[in-house]
Amino acid sequence: MGPYPCKVTELGDGIFVGLSMNHAMGDGTSFWNFFSTLSEIFQAQESNKTNNLCLKNPPVLKRYIPHGYGPLLSLPYSHPDEFIRTYESPVLKERIFCFSSNTIRLLKGKINQTCGTTSISSFQSLTAVIWRSITRARRLPMDQETSCRFAADNRARMCPPLPSGYFGNCFSALRAAAKVGELLENDLGWAALKMNQAVAEHTSEKVTQMIDQWLKSPFIYHIDRFFEPMSVMIGSSPRFNKYGCEFGMGKALVLRSGYAHKFDGKVSAYPGREGGGSIDLEVCLLPEFMEALESDEEFASLVSF
């Protein structure tokens, strides 16, 4: 099996194109750059322009190696059984929630006005909503700590910066945390400021420190070690040009992710099909938590059906 298994399934009324990649090879930026490049090459072939094809964002395959290290790194294991684990996901319920561009624009404006700032982004505003809503749906003790992580691209934060087309893993999962009582008793703006603060504090110096710490004490990432129970993890990004990947059949009707790397509290962010800044969130929760989320009035008032 190649590094990018691809499968095309013919349905009764359409075509489903599936592409997968081991996360050890690259992050979401690398994955969608590859998918976009594949689409770009296909469209050039369709229009007989392959002779003059110049890729918009060609992959940069030169490896980043920290100064004073590598190119080979030794891991503190003597046998694969010490770091290979089989993760068994519990029975989950998945659902796509759509948020229109107008809803997100109004939400962002209201939160920034409440907080007396203009720095809170649309995605930070929506992240605050999903963090609070899932936490409320779980009915956790008010003194329990809850956290929300979301992926951040580190390419521009490296020193010197890595090119946008760098192929590999170059991201961090930023973390905001609070007691359940703090999160639910304060307004949405309070939660959004937490997300905004996590981004502001994620500097080049912090990225360098993170890399240094891992090099001094390397380990293999595992879901049960990296993510706290009853947390929220938001992966992928609405900035990826997912609906721009076309293969001769027009714009895709829908986006879905596979079954891997899913757990209670995992959220994947997609650009909405309508464009214009709309966002779709694929949410995975235990069935009882999903039922409570679907009944949450504040959350439901923002969702487009």
Side-chain angles (χ1 to χ4, degrees), residues 200-241:
E201 293 176 350
H202 192 58
T203 61
S204 297
E205 292 76 16
K206 194 165 185 177
V207 172
T208 300
Q209 182 183 26
M210 177 195 70
I211 295 173
D212 288 342
Q213 288 176 345
W214 187 89
L215 289 168
K216 292 174 181 177
S217 183
F219 61 92
I220 301 296
Y221 287 93
H222 296 96
I223 290 179
D224 58 352
R225 174 176 177 175
F226 194 58
F227 303 118
E228 305 96 333
M230 297 299 167
S231 64
V232 176
M233 171 62 204
I234 303 177
S236 197
S237 172
R239 293 184 178 182
F240 296 151
N241 185 26

Side-chain angles (χ1 to χ4, degrees), residues 121-143:
S121 70
S122 299
F123 191 62
Q124 291 164 11
S125 301
L126 188 57
T127 297
V129 170
I130 196 69
W131 183 23
R132 272 170 47 98
S133 299
I134 290 178
T135 301
R136 187 162 48 235
R138 285 170 165 163
R139 299 182 177 90
L140 301 174
M142 299 299 275
D143 61 347

Side-chain angles (χ1 to χ4, degrees), residues 55-74:
L55 298 176
K56 296 176 182 177
N57 192 21
V60 177
L61 302 179
K62 182 180 178 181
R63 296 296 80 200
Y64 163 73
I65 300 174
H67 180 70
Y69 289 90
L72 299 179
L73 298 173
S74 297

Side-chain angles (χ1 to χ4, degrees), residues 9-300:
T9 303
E10 185 173 354
L11 308 174
D13 56 354
I15 298 291
F16 189 90
V17 180
L19 186 67
S20 65
M21 180 183 74
N22 191 309
H23 218 319
M25 287 183 56
D27 54 18
T29 298
S30 299
F31 178 88
W32 285 104
N33 280 350
F34 176 85
F35 213 164
S36 296
T37 299
L38 195 64
S39 170
E40 194 178 343
I41 294 172
F42 177 88
Q43 293 178 49
Q45 290 175 333
E46 288 289 287
S47 56
N48 296 317
K49 294 180 180 180
T50 53
N51 291 335
N52 300 317
L53 176 61
C54 182
L55 298 176
K56 296 176 182 177
N57 192 21
V60 177
L61 302 179
K62 182 180 178 181
R63 296 296 80 200
Y64 163 73
I65 300 174
H67 180 70
Y69 289 90
L72 299 179
L73 298 173
S74 297
L75 297 176
Y77 307 108
S78 58
H79 193 277
D81 289 345
E82 296 179 46
F83 61 87
I84 294 179
R85 300 183 193 174
T86 300
Y87 174 74
E88 295 185 6
S89 176
V91 176
L92 299 172
K93 186 173 182 181
E94 300 180 29
R95 184 170 174 187
I96 298 286
F97 296 100
C98 305
F99 300 86
S100 70
S101 55
N102 185 57
T103 294
I104 294 175
R105 179 180 58 81
L106 293 174
L107 176 67
K108 174 186 175 182
K110 180 180 179 180
I111 287 178
N112 275 282
Q113 184 178 31
T114 301
C115 297
T117 183
T118 59
S119 64
I120 298 174
S121 70
S122 299
F123 191 62
Q124 291 164 11
S125 301
L126 188 57
T127 297
V129 170
I130 196 69
W131 183 23
R132 272 170 47 98
S133 299
I134 290 178
T135 301
R136 187 162 48 235
R138 285 170 165 163
R139 299 182 177 90
L140 301 174
M142 299 299 275
D143 61 347
Q144 181 172 330
E145 184 176 80
T146 176
S147 66
C148 180
R149 293 180 183 264
F150 54 103
D153 187 3
N154 286 337
R155 288 164 176 78
R157 293 180 171 94
M158 301 293 286
C159 189
L162 294 179
S164 61
Y166 177 80
F167 188 93
N169 279 297
C170 191
F171 78 102
S172 294
L174 307 191
R175 181 178 185 269
K179 297 291 186 181
V180 172
E182 291 179 313
L183 182 64
L184 300 183
E185 290 169 1
N186 286 289
D187 57 24
L188 269 175
W190 187 89
L193 278 174
K194 287 288 230 181
M195 316 308 295
N196 181 264
Q197 182 181 5
V199 174
E201 293 176 350
H202 192 58
T203 61
S204 297
E205 292 76 16
K206 194 165 185 177
V207 172
T208 300
Q209 182 183 26
M210 177 195 70
I211 295 173
D212 288 342
Q213 288 176 345
W214 187 89
L215 289 168
K216 292 174 181 177
S217 183
F219 61 92
I220 301 296
Y221 287 93
H222 296 96
I223 290 179
D224 58 352
R225 174 176 177 175
F226 194 58
F227 303 118
E228 305 96 333
M230 297 299 167
S231 64
V232 176
M233 171 62 204
I234 303 177
S236 197
S237 172
R239 293 184 178 182
F240 296 151
N241 185 26
K242 301 179 182 183
Y243 280 106
C245 298
E246 297 186 18
F247 297 91
M249 296 167 284
K251 184 177 178 179
L253 294 176
V254 69
L255 294 166
R256 292 292 185 268
S257 68
Y259 61 85
H261 197 63
K262 289 187 174 177
F263 48 89
D264 178 46
K266 175 64 185 297
V267 180
S268 297
Y270 304 139
R273 191 178 188 277
E274 70 178 62
S278 59
I279 296 175
D280 293 346
L281 296 181
E282 179 187 67
V283 180
C284 301
L285 290 173
L286 294 177
E288 59 269 29
F289 297 154
M290 181 65 78
E291 182 179 358
L293 178 65
E294 293 171 339
S295 303
D296 188 280
E297 293 184 3
E298 180 186 70
F299 182 73

